[in-house]
Short mmCIF file of all heavy atoms in Angstrom, two decimals:
data_model
loop_
_atom_site.label_atom_id
_atom_site.label_comp_id
_atom_site.label_asym_id
_atom_site.label_seq_id
_atom_site.Cartn_x
_atom_site.Cartn_y
_atom_site.Cartn_z
N GLY A 164 6.80 22.23 -36.76
CA GLY A 164 6.77 21.35 -35.60
C GLY A 164 6.73 22.15 -34.30
O GLY A 164 6.95 23.36 -34.27
N LEU A 165 6.46 21.44 -33.21
CA LEU A 165 6.30 22.10 -31.91
C LEU A 165 7.51 22.95 -31.52
O LEU A 165 7.34 24.10 -31.08
CB LEU A 165 5.99 21.05 -30.84
CG LEU A 165 5.77 21.59 -29.43
CD1 LEU A 165 4.62 22.58 -29.37
CD2 LEU A 165 5.52 20.43 -28.44
N PRO A 166 8.75 22.47 -31.63
CA PRO A 166 9.88 23.32 -31.24
C PRO A 166 9.94 24.63 -32.04
O PRO A 166 10.27 25.68 -31.49
CB PRO A 166 11.11 22.45 -31.52
CG PRO A 166 10.60 21.06 -31.42
CD PRO A 166 9.22 21.11 -31.99
N ARG A 167 9.63 24.57 -33.33
CA ARG A 167 9.66 25.80 -34.14
C ARG A 167 8.56 26.77 -33.72
O ARG A 167 8.78 27.97 -33.66
CB ARG A 167 9.53 25.46 -35.63
CG ARG A 167 10.77 24.82 -36.21
CD ARG A 167 10.67 24.73 -37.73
NE ARG A 167 11.88 24.14 -38.29
CZ ARG A 167 13.00 24.82 -38.56
NH1 ARG A 167 13.05 26.11 -38.31
NH2 ARG A 167 14.05 24.20 -39.06
N ARG A 168 7.37 26.24 -33.41
CA ARG A 168 6.28 27.10 -32.96
C ARG A 168 6.64 27.76 -31.63
O ARG A 168 6.38 28.94 -31.40
CB ARG A 168 4.99 26.32 -32.85
CG ARG A 168 4.47 25.77 -34.17
CD ARG A 168 3.02 25.34 -34.07
NE ARG A 168 2.73 24.34 -33.05
CZ ARG A 168 2.83 23.03 -33.23
NH1 ARG A 168 3.23 22.55 -34.41
NH2 ARG A 168 2.53 22.18 -32.26
N ILE A 169 7.22 26.97 -30.73
CA ILE A 169 7.62 27.51 -29.43
C ILE A 169 8.65 28.62 -29.60
O ILE A 169 8.52 29.71 -29.02
CB ILE A 169 8.19 26.39 -28.53
CG1 ILE A 169 7.06 25.46 -28.08
CG2 ILE A 169 8.91 26.98 -27.33
CD1 ILE A 169 7.55 24.22 -27.33
N CYS A 170 9.66 28.39 -30.40
CA CYS A 170 10.71 29.39 -30.59
C CYS A 170 10.20 30.63 -31.29
O CYS A 170 10.63 31.75 -30.97
CB CYS A 170 11.90 28.77 -31.34
SG CYS A 170 12.85 27.61 -30.33
N ARG A 171 9.30 30.46 -32.25
CA ARG A 171 8.75 31.61 -32.93
C ARG A 171 7.92 32.48 -31.98
O ARG A 171 8.06 33.71 -31.95
CB ARG A 171 7.90 31.17 -34.13
CG ARG A 171 7.43 32.31 -35.01
CD ARG A 171 6.94 31.80 -36.37
NE ARG A 171 5.81 30.90 -36.23
CZ ARG A 171 5.79 29.65 -36.61
NH1 ARG A 171 6.84 29.08 -37.16
NH2 ARG A 171 4.70 28.90 -36.48
N ALA A 172 7.08 31.84 -31.18
CA ALA A 172 6.28 32.59 -30.20
C ALA A 172 7.18 33.25 -29.15
O ALA A 172 6.95 34.40 -28.75
CB ALA A 172 5.28 31.66 -29.53
N ALA A 173 8.22 32.54 -28.72
CA ALA A 173 9.14 33.10 -27.72
C ALA A 173 9.85 34.33 -28.27
O ALA A 173 10.02 35.33 -27.57
CB ALA A 173 10.17 32.05 -27.31
N ASP A 174 10.24 34.27 -29.54
CA ASP A 174 10.93 35.40 -30.15
C ASP A 174 9.98 36.60 -30.26
O ASP A 174 10.38 37.75 -30.05
CB ASP A 174 11.44 34.99 -31.54
CG ASP A 174 12.57 35.88 -32.02
OD1 ASP A 174 13.46 36.21 -31.21
OD2 ASP A 174 12.54 36.28 -33.20
N GLU A 175 8.73 36.34 -30.57
CA GLU A 175 7.72 37.42 -30.67
C GLU A 175 7.50 38.06 -29.31
O GLU A 175 7.42 39.29 -29.19
CB GLU A 175 6.42 36.87 -31.23
CG GLU A 175 6.53 36.45 -32.70
CD GLU A 175 5.40 35.55 -33.17
OE1 GLU A 175 4.53 35.19 -32.34
OE2 GLU A 175 5.39 35.23 -34.38
N LEU A 176 7.41 37.22 -28.27
CA LEU A 176 7.22 37.77 -26.91
C LEU A 176 8.44 38.58 -26.47
O LEU A 176 8.30 39.68 -25.91
CB LEU A 176 6.96 36.65 -25.92
CG LEU A 176 6.65 37.10 -24.49
CD1 LEU A 176 5.28 37.76 -24.43
CD2 LEU A 176 6.71 35.93 -23.51
N ALA A 177 9.63 38.05 -26.72
CA ALA A 177 10.84 38.76 -26.33
C ALA A 177 10.95 40.11 -27.02
O ALA A 177 11.34 41.11 -26.42
CB ALA A 177 12.07 37.90 -26.65
N ALA A 178 10.58 40.15 -28.31
CA ALA A 178 10.62 41.41 -29.05
C ALA A 178 9.70 42.44 -28.41
O ALA A 178 10.06 43.61 -28.26
CB ALA A 178 10.24 41.18 -30.52
N MET A 179 8.51 42.02 -28.05
CA MET A 179 7.57 42.93 -27.39
C MET A 179 8.11 43.41 -26.04
O MET A 179 8.04 44.60 -25.71
CB MET A 179 6.23 42.24 -27.16
CG MET A 179 5.35 42.08 -28.38
SD MET A 179 3.74 41.46 -27.82
CE MET A 179 2.91 41.25 -29.40
N MET A 180 8.61 42.48 -25.25
CA MET A 180 9.04 42.83 -23.90
C MET A 180 10.25 43.75 -23.89
O MET A 180 10.36 44.67 -23.08
CB MET A 180 9.34 41.55 -23.11
CG MET A 180 8.09 40.73 -22.77
SD MET A 180 8.49 39.15 -21.98
CE MET A 180 9.29 39.70 -20.47
N VAL A 181 11.19 43.49 -24.79
CA VAL A 181 12.44 44.27 -24.79
C VAL A 181 12.27 45.64 -25.44
O VAL A 181 12.77 46.65 -24.93
CB VAL A 181 13.57 43.47 -25.49
CG1 VAL A 181 14.80 44.34 -25.71
CG2 VAL A 181 13.92 42.24 -24.66
N THR A 182 11.53 45.70 -26.55
CA THR A 182 11.38 46.97 -27.25
C THR A 182 10.21 47.78 -26.76
O THR A 182 10.15 48.99 -26.97
CB THR A 182 11.18 46.72 -28.76
OG1 THR A 182 9.91 46.08 -28.98
CG2 THR A 182 12.30 45.87 -29.34
N GLY A 183 9.27 47.11 -26.10
CA GLY A 183 8.06 47.82 -25.66
C GLY A 183 7.09 48.05 -26.79
O GLY A 183 6.05 48.70 -26.62
N ASN A 184 7.40 47.51 -27.98
CA ASN A 184 6.54 47.69 -29.15
C ASN A 184 5.57 46.53 -29.23
O ASN A 184 5.94 45.41 -29.54
CB ASN A 184 7.38 47.75 -30.43
CG ASN A 184 6.52 47.92 -31.68
OD1 ASN A 184 5.31 48.18 -31.58
ND2 ASN A 184 7.14 47.80 -32.84
N THR A 185 4.29 46.80 -28.92
CA THR A 185 3.28 45.75 -28.95
C THR A 185 2.40 45.86 -30.18
O THR A 185 1.32 45.28 -30.24
CB THR A 185 2.40 45.81 -27.69
OG1 THR A 185 1.83 47.12 -27.56
CG2 THR A 185 3.22 45.49 -26.45
N ALA A 186 2.88 46.60 -31.19
CA ALA A 186 2.06 46.78 -32.40
C ALA A 186 1.89 45.50 -33.17
O ALA A 186 0.83 45.17 -33.66
CB ALA A 186 2.69 47.84 -33.29
N SER A 187 2.99 44.72 -33.29
CA SER A 187 2.87 43.49 -34.08
C SER A 187 3.42 42.27 -33.38
O SER A 187 3.02 41.16 -33.64
CB SER A 187 3.62 43.66 -35.42
OG SER A 187 5.01 43.75 -35.17
N GLY A 188 4.38 42.46 -32.47
CA GLY A 188 4.98 41.34 -31.78
C GLY A 188 5.98 40.58 -32.61
O GLY A 188 6.46 39.55 -32.20
N VAL A 189 6.30 41.07 -33.80
CA VAL A 189 7.21 40.36 -34.68
C VAL A 189 8.54 41.07 -34.73
O VAL A 189 8.61 42.25 -34.99
CB VAL A 189 6.62 40.23 -36.11
CG1 VAL A 189 7.58 39.51 -37.01
CG2 VAL A 189 5.29 39.51 -36.06
N SER A 190 9.60 40.31 -34.50
CA SER A 190 10.94 40.90 -34.54
C SER A 190 11.64 40.52 -35.84
O SER A 190 11.51 39.39 -36.31
CB SER A 190 11.76 40.38 -33.36
OG SER A 190 13.11 40.74 -33.50
N GLU A 191 12.37 41.46 -36.37
CA GLU A 191 13.17 41.15 -37.57
C GLU A 191 14.48 40.45 -37.22
O GLU A 191 15.10 39.83 -38.04
CB GLU A 191 13.48 42.45 -38.34
CG GLU A 191 12.25 43.14 -38.89
CD GLU A 191 11.50 42.24 -39.88
OE1 GLU A 191 12.18 41.49 -40.62
OE2 GLU A 191 10.28 42.27 -39.90
N ASP A 192 14.91 40.60 -35.94
CA ASP A 192 16.19 40.05 -35.53
C ASP A 192 15.98 38.67 -34.94
O ASP A 192 15.46 38.51 -33.86
CB ASP A 192 16.84 40.98 -34.49
CG ASP A 192 18.15 40.41 -33.98
OD1 ASP A 192 18.67 39.46 -34.61
OD2 ASP A 192 18.64 40.92 -32.97
N ARG A 193 16.37 37.63 -35.66
CA ARG A 193 16.25 36.27 -35.16
C ARG A 193 17.62 35.60 -35.10
O ARG A 193 17.74 34.38 -35.20
CB ARG A 193 15.30 35.47 -36.08
CG ARG A 193 13.94 36.07 -36.21
CD ARG A 193 13.05 35.21 -37.09
NE ARG A 193 12.83 33.88 -36.53
CZ ARG A 193 11.86 33.60 -35.68
NH1 ARG A 193 11.05 34.53 -35.27
NH2 ARG A 193 11.72 32.37 -35.23
N SER A 194 18.68 36.38 -34.94
CA SER A 194 20.02 35.84 -35.10
C SER A 194 20.75 35.60 -33.79
O SER A 194 21.91 35.25 -33.81
CB SER A 194 20.85 36.82 -35.96
OG SER A 194 20.94 38.07 -35.31
N GLY A 195 20.10 35.81 -32.61
CA GLY A 195 20.81 35.67 -31.35
C GLY A 195 21.37 34.26 -31.16
O GLY A 195 20.68 33.28 -31.43
N SER A 196 22.58 34.16 -30.68
CA SER A 196 23.21 32.85 -30.60
C SER A 196 22.52 31.94 -29.60
O SER A 196 22.41 30.73 -29.83
CB SER A 196 24.69 33.03 -30.20
OG SER A 196 24.79 33.70 -28.97
#
Side-chain angles (χ1 to χ4, degrees):
L165 181 59
R167 288 190 179 276
R168 296 196 302 273
I169 289 173
C170 287
R171 188 164 62 241
D174 201 43
E175 291 164 357
L176 184 70
M179 284 188 184
M180 290 174 62
V181 171
T182 67
N184 179 10
T185 56
S187 68
V189 179
S190 170
E191 295 299 325
D192 178 13
R193 302 181 63 87
S194 61
S196 58

